[in-house]
Amino acid sequence: MGQHPKANLRIDTIVGQHAAMLSERLQAHRAQLFPPHARKELRKFTSGEVADLLGVKDAYLRKLSLESKGPDPEIRGNGRRFYSPDDIVALREYLEKGAKVPGTYMPGRRPGDHLQVISVINFKGGSGKTTTSAHLAQKLALDGYRVLAVDVDPQASFSALHGFQPEFDLLDGGTLYDAIRYDDPVSIRDVIQKTYFRNLDIIPGNLDLMEFEHDTPRALAQRDGSLFFTRVGDALAEVEDDYDVVIVDCPPQLGFLTMSALSAATAVLVTVHPQMLDVMSMCQFLLMTSNLLGVVAEAGGDMSYDWLRYVVTRYEPGDGPQNQMVSFMRSMFGEHVLNHTMLKSTAISDAGLTKQTLWEIEKSQFTRSTYDRAIESITNVCSEIETLIQDAWGRNNGA
């Protein structure tokens, strides 16, 4: 047999070279977007946007401003009023004092409410999982919840969206792995970072998280009494009082990290792209999840959830086969499928090119109808999930 012509091409070498080139180019791209030492900052919001967020009329905000009640907005050309994220929080605090129903403007936890931990999962990349997680975390923060986002995906797209470039910013660790490793774990407080979003903190991710996948079989073999599936929950318990909601962006495979995140969760959100291949993948994923979590439950893991929902992502309403797939899912899973969908939108994908979400980007960069459609779709999904959070706390209709 003659030697295979590719025998001298080492895939580890070529992949390493490509990674180095790509990393260098990405660093240059980031330096252009955000010069060294620059931190991302959140834009100011128009009075109309703030009125929508607070559920009040724009005219009412104008009245407050004229009467010097609440924070002073920035007045720009044509008398347009703009509010910073801190101003929005101050407005919430001001309005809550006069609210007829407690929690109208400050909707977070009250004594006796348990921390909501929402794990966002999917087995197939490209399902819009990270986009959904990021928009949900940011919207809840804008809505007055104290949010912790945890990136447990080694690919760290969620972290990148929030201004962290894993291979440059986390050279000395700083991921959840540090807090859940078996040898000498640190306090979870040591790995939590503030973001440029008021009320939103993050534990960023990087490839260090893969170590947990490698360490766990060893720990299981040694039977040292440390249960892998309680580690994320135990770490989160340290900061339970600091947050209302935790959003966990899981890796797109069912390893020890995902199982540990599911064990820590009080709710599960499964993103689904409504294509036949994706739904078939999801079927296999659900079968595996069920089997593995059954084993975890038998070993003492807490598998009780407040809710589980499927959210249809990257949805194109004009696509016949997609509509059939959505109807098929609704007929099978009923109320477990969210009523609202995340539309496929050039606004979302274009914002992603500059590592931004729709809450960050200036709407003037898009045609109004494109932006409004995308924002409406995301807002509806987030509002539906917010209702589920409130229901889990035993509150309905804001009561």
Side-chain angles (χ1 to χ4, degrees):
M1 289 286 287
Q3 192 184 27
H4 194 285
K6 287 187 182 171
N8 61 352
L9 181 67
R10 281 187 47 173
I11 193 160
D12 58 330
T13 309
I14 195 160
V15 167
Q17 288 168 350
H18 288 178
M21 289 190 309
L22 186 57
S23 183
E24 190 179 326
R25 186 62 57 89
L26 287 170
Q27 180 67 343
H29 177 62
R30 181 170 83 152
Q32 265 183 315
L33 285 177
F34 316 111
H37 314 302
R39 300 290 289 178
K40 283 184 82 173
E41 273 188 19
L42 190 55
R43 65 182 175 89
K44 291 197 169 184
F45 290 78
T46 66
S47 57
E49 288 175 309
V50 175
D52 285 344
L53 282 171
L54 297 173
V56 298
K57 292 275 190 289
D58 193 3
Y60 179 57
L61 289 184
R62 178 184 296 278
K63 181 170 175 284
L64 288 181
S65 169
L66 291 171
E67 293 173 2
S68 298
K69 293 176 178 171
D72 288 328
E74 177 191 331
I75 312 287
R76 295 188 193 164
N78 302 334
R80 296 182 70 201
R81 286 158 295 123
F82 286 78
Y83 293 86
S84 72
D86 286 350
D87 292 337
I88 298 173
V89 172
L91 271 172
R92 284 191 181 283
E93 289 166 352
Y94 174 80
L95 292 170
E96 181 68 25
K97 286 178 191 147
K100 292 191 181 78
V101 179
T104 302
Y105 302 101
M106 303 286 287
R109 286 165 70 195
R110 299 179 206 161
D113 293 341
H114 59 282
L115 177 70
Q116 287 280 296
V117 182
I118 303 172
S119 286
V120 185
I121 62 170
N122 187 280
F123 190 44
K124 202 165 187 289
S127 69
K129 175 179 62 68
T130 298
T131 304
T132 304
S133 306
H135 282 93
L136 175 60
Q138 293 180 0
K139 179 65 163 69
L140 289 171
L142 286 170
D143 283 344
Y145 295 86
R146 299 167 303 158
V147 183
L148 173 64
V150 187
D151 193 348
V152 292
D153 185 347
Q155 294 177 45
S157 306
F158 191 104
S159 305
L161 260 181
H162 289 83
F164 295 91
Q165 198 157 326
E167 68 268 40
F168 297 106
D169 297 335
L170 302 169
L171 294 174
D172 302 318
T175 70
L176 184 68
Y177 174 68
D178 297 351
I180 62 172
R181 64 190 180 210
Y182 296 92
D183 299 323
D184 197 23
V186 303
S187 164
I188 194 171
R189 290 185 193 281
D190 295 344
V191 292
I192 293 175
Q193 304 214 32
K194 293 277 176 209
T195 72
Y196 49 95
F197 252 84
R198 176 72 188 263
N199 282 340
L200 176 58
D201 294 347
I202 188 173
I203 300 176
N206 72 4
L207 290 172
D208 289 357
L209 288 160
M210 290 301 294
E211 296 297 322
F212 189 70
E213 304 291 348
H214 303 149
D215 296 346
T216 298
R218 271 201 302 274
L220 288 171
Q222 289 165 1
R223 300 181 183 280
D224 62 1
S226 55
L227 300 170
F228 79 87
F229 53 80
T230 61
R231 299 187 80 78
V232 172
D234 290 347
L236 289 174
E238 273 188 66
V239 291
E240 186 174 350
D241 294 341
D242 300 344
Y243 300 100
D244 303 315
V245 183
V246 178
I247 305 288
V248 186
D249 190 38
C250 295
Q253 69 265 345
L254 195 58
F256 295 116
L257 276 170
T258 301
M259 285 196 282
S260 193
L262 286 171
S263 299
T266 61
V268 177
L269 191 63
V270 186
T271 57
V272 193
H273 184 215
Q275 302 272 29
M276 179 53 86
L277 284 175
D278 292 70
V279 173
M280 286 165 65
S281 287
M282 185 181 80
C283 179
Q284 296 304 306
F285 179 56
L286 294 175
L287 286 169
M288 283 193 300
T289 305
S290 169
N291 293 337
L292 287 167
L293 293 183
V295 173
V296 170
E298 282 167 24
D302 181 6
M303 289 294 120
S304 55
Y305 294 119
D306 292 327
W307 50 268
L308 175 145
R309 290 292 184 275
Y310 299 93
V311 56
V312 173
T313 54
R314 297 176 57 219
Y315 177 54
E316 299 171 78
D319 184 316
Q322 282 201 16
N323 284 324
Q324 286 180 324
M325 195 52 71
V326 172
S327 300
F328 170 66
M329 285 178 58
R330 290 197 194 285
S331 68
M332 270 193 311
F333 300 143
E335 67 166 20
H336 290 292
V337 183
L338 286 184
N339 292 319
H340 295 99
T341 58
M342 292 277 280
L343 294 181
K344 183 175 185 180
S345 169
T346 52
I348 296 172
S349 45
D350 287 0
L353 289 175
T354 50
K355 295 186 187 167
Q356 289 180 298
T357 64
L358 285 192
W359 309 120
E360 300 171 73
I361 207 134
E362 298 283 353
K363 63 201 271 185
S364 56
Q365 294 184 27
F366 302 99
T367 59
R368 181 160 189 166
S369 60
T370 302
Y371 180 87
D372 287 350
R373 259 200 314 274
I375 275 285
E376 182 183 18
S377 140
I378 286 171
T379 300
N380 287 338
V381 167
C382 293
S383 298
E384 213 173 325
I385 293 167
E386 188 176 346
T387 300
L388 292 166
I389 291 169
Q390 292 288 328
D391 286 350
W393 288 335
R395 290 181 226 159
N396 289 308
N397 306 319

